[in-house]
Amino acid sequence: MKKRIAIFGSTGSIGTQALDVITAHPELFEVEILTAHSNDELLIQQALQHQPNAVVIVDEKKYQTVKNALAGTDVKVFTGEKSLEEVAAFDTYDMMLAAIVGFAGLSPTLQAVSNKKAVALANKETLVVAGDLVMSKAVEHKSPMLPVDSEHSAIFQCLIGEHRNPIEKIILTASGGPFRGKKPNFLLNVKRDHALQHPNWSMGAKITIDSATLMNKGLEMIEAKWLFNLRPDQIQVVIHPQSIIHSMVQFEDGSIKAQMGLPDMKLPIQYALGFPHRLANDFPRYDFKKVNTLTFEEPDLRTFRNLALAMDALQKGGNLPCVLNAANEIAVWAFLRNRIGFLDMTDVIEKTMQHVTHIEKPTLDEYFETDAEARSYAASLIRL
Ligand code: NAD
Ligand code: MG
C-alpha cells in the first residue's frame, strides 16, 4: 500500500522539495491533495504530473484558470480559504505535509489532527500560536506529529530508542544567518535583498527573513517546547555557522547525541514521509575532509532582540506567542515590501506584545481573536 500524501503549500520551498522526494519513490508514495495560495501555473503543472484526487487554489481569482487547465483530468478543484479545511477533512489521504507558511496553516493542520491523520509538520507557526491545543488534540486522536523542521527532526532522530530516558536539555543549533557578528548600527541600514541571502539554506521569503533576525530560532524554541514537552529552561540555542549539526539532545547522564548532515531540507522531509524507515537516496554526503571545523558561539541577544522577545513569549506562554507570531508576520511582510527597516521589525513586535491583553489559557476562538487584534495593532504601528 502506498502512503497517500496531502501537501498543503505544495508550491512553496518545502512543498516542491517534498514532491521531488515523492517523485523519487513512486513505489512508496502517491499524491492525494495539493494546495496553493495563488501560484496557479505551478499548481496546474504539479497536478498534471501527479494526478491528485483534489487541488485547492485559495485565491478565488485563479479558480477558473485552474479549473479549465484540469478539465480533461479527474482532479477535483476547490477554491477559497475555507476549502483548505474541507479537503483536510477528506478520508482519502494518510499523511498531511503541513507546508503552508504562517498562521494560515493552523486551521487545516488542526483539521488533519481531528481527522486522525499523521502530520509531517513544517509549519512551525501552528505550534507557536496554539501548541497546547494542537498537541492535546494530536494525543486525543492518536495523530502522529512528525517534525520536518531540520532542528526538530534532528531531536526526534536523537530520541529514537530513548523512550524511557528523560531529556535533560536540548540544544537547538542556528546558523546565525547572513548578519552573524554584525551590530545594530549595521543592521539599521540592511535592505531586503541582503536579508534574503541566507548563507546555508534556500527557503521561502518569510522564514529567510526570520533566519536573518533570529526570530526563526525563537519560533523553533516554542515549537520544540510543544513537540517534546519541555520546560523553557531545557531549551538552549547555540550558533553553529556551518549548519552540519542540526541539533542535539543531552540526557540525564550528561551524554549528548547529535544528528548531522549537509544542510538540505529534503533529508528531514524524506525522514518524516518515510518514517520509521530511512530511504536510500543520492543526496550529496557530508565530507569531514571538506568541512573539517565545526564551531559554536553564544547568540547575541542584545543585537538580535527578536530572539529575546521570543524567549520572553516562551516563558510567559498563554496567548503571548500568538501575539509575537502575528506581529512578526506583519513586520516581515512590511520589511519585504521596503515599508520598514530591519530593526523596526523588533519595535513593532515588542510594542504589540505590550499592547495585547494577556490570556493565560486561551480557547481556539481566543487565539483567533488574539491573532486578529495583534495583526491590526501591528499594522497600525506601521500605518499600513
Ligand atoms: P514558501 O513561502 O516557500 O511556501 C509557502 C506555501 O504556502 C506556498 O505553497 C503558498 O502557496 C502557501 N501559502 C502561503 N500563504 C498561504 C495562505 N494564506 N493560505 C494558504 N496557503 C498559503 O514557504 P516555505 O519556505 O516552504 O515554508 C513553509 C513552512 O515551512 C513555514 O512555516 C516555514 O517556517 C517552514 N519551514 C520551512 C523551511 C524551508 O527550508 N523552506 C525549513 C523549515 C521550516
Ligand atoms: Mg529550522
Side-chain angles (χ1 to χ4, degrees), residues 9-15 17 35-38 58 84 98-102 104 122-125 149-150 201-205 207 216 265:
S10 66
T11 54
S13 162
I14 293 288
Q17 294 182 84
T35 87
H37 185 264
S38 42
V58 173
L84 289 173
I100 289 176
V101 59
N123 176 262
K124 63 192 85 185
E125 293 91 347
D149 213 350
S150 58
W201 300 93
S202 157
M203 311 176 283
I207 184 174
N216 184 49
M265 282 308 296

Side-chain angles (χ1 to χ4, degrees), residues 84-354:
L84 289 173
E85 280 171 75
E86 280 164 35
V87 296
F90 282 7
D91 204 34
T92 53
Y93 68 99
D94 301 304
M95 176 184 270
M96 171 191 280
L97 172 65
I100 289 176
V101 59
F103 184 88
L106 172 62
S107 295
T109 308
L110 260 177
Q111 184 59 254
V113 168
S114 306
N115 195 10
K116 301 182 168 37
K117 301 301 180 191
V119 174
L121 188 76
N123 176 262
K124 63 192 85 185
E125 293 91 347
T126 285
L127 291 186
V128 172
V129 170
D132 52 346
L133 299 185
V134 176
M135 291 311 289
S136 61
K137 252 197 194 322
V139 171
E140 182 191 335
H141 295 287
K142 299 192 176 63
S143 301
M145 273 278 170
L146 300 152
V148 169
D149 213 350
S150 58
E151 296 76 4
H152 306 74
S153 175
I155 292 162
F156 186 76
Q157 293 179 54
C158 290
L159 290 173
I160 302 289
E162 302 286 357
H163 187 54
R164 289 170 204 281
N165 294 324
I167 298 170
E168 190 164 271
K169 67 172 181 182
I170 62 162
I171 303 153
L172 286 178
T173 52
S175 71
F179 306 132
R180 182 174 61 88
K182 301 293 190 213
K183 292 293 165 199
N185 57 357
F186 177 91
L187 296 178
L188 205 54
N189 300 312
V190 154
K191 292 281 174 283
R192 162 189 193 278
D193 291 345
H194 192 180
L196 279 174
Q197 272 150 30
H198 195 280
N200 302 346
W201 300 93
S202 157
M203 311 176 283
K206 194 251 176 188
I207 184 174
T208 305
I209 301 302
D210 284 346
S211 300
T213 62
L214 295 200
M215 177 56 93
N216 184 49
K217 214 46 55 178
L219 300 178
E220 290 183 354
M221 292 178 82
I222 302 170
E223 181 186 13
K225 171 197 157 93
W226 294 118
L227 276 174
F228 306 113
N229 196 18
L230 301 169
R231 299 184 311 271
D233 63 287
Q234 290 175 293
I235 308 169
Q236 187 186 348
V237 169
V238 64
I239 304 290
H240 166 48
Q242 298 78 21
S243 297
I244 296 296
I245 294 182
H246 299 307
S247 279
M248 301 176 253
V249 179
Q250 181 173 314
F251 295 94
E252 286 186 318
D253 59 354
S255 184
I256 296 175
K257 280 168 96 173
Q259 187 266 336
M260 302 167 72
L262 289 177
D264 180 350
M265 282 308 296
K266 277 194 195 147
L267 201 50
I269 292 169
Q270 178 184 290
Y271 189 73
L273 295 186
F275 182 79
H277 306 291
R278 291 191 181 274
L279 312 179
N281 61 43
D282 57 2
F283 306 162
R285 266 46 176 167
Y286 169 52
D287 180 349
F288 285 89
K289 295 186 286 299
K290 286 199 189 124
V291 185
N292 60 9
T293 312
L294 301 183
T295 61
F296 306 94
E297 309 162 11
E298 281 279 322
D300 176 358
L301 293 178
R302 285 230 270 235
T303 303
F304 296 93
R305 290 181 50 235
N306 278 8
L307 178 54
L309 291 175
M311 287 174 170
D312 187 37
L314 169 68
Q315 280 289 346
K316 296 193 177 126
N319 64 342
L320 199 55
C322 174
V323 176
L324 170 98
N325 178 70
N328 182 56
E329 286 192 28
I330 295 292
V332 171
W333 186 91
F335 176 74
L336 281 170
R337 280 152 192 82
N338 297 313
R339 301 281 286 269
I340 60 172
F342 191 82
L343 295 179
D344 297 334
M345 288 192 276
T346 308
D347 290 340
V348 169
I349 299 161
E350 188 169 35
K351 288 194 178 116
T352 309
M353 286 170 75
Q354 285 160 358

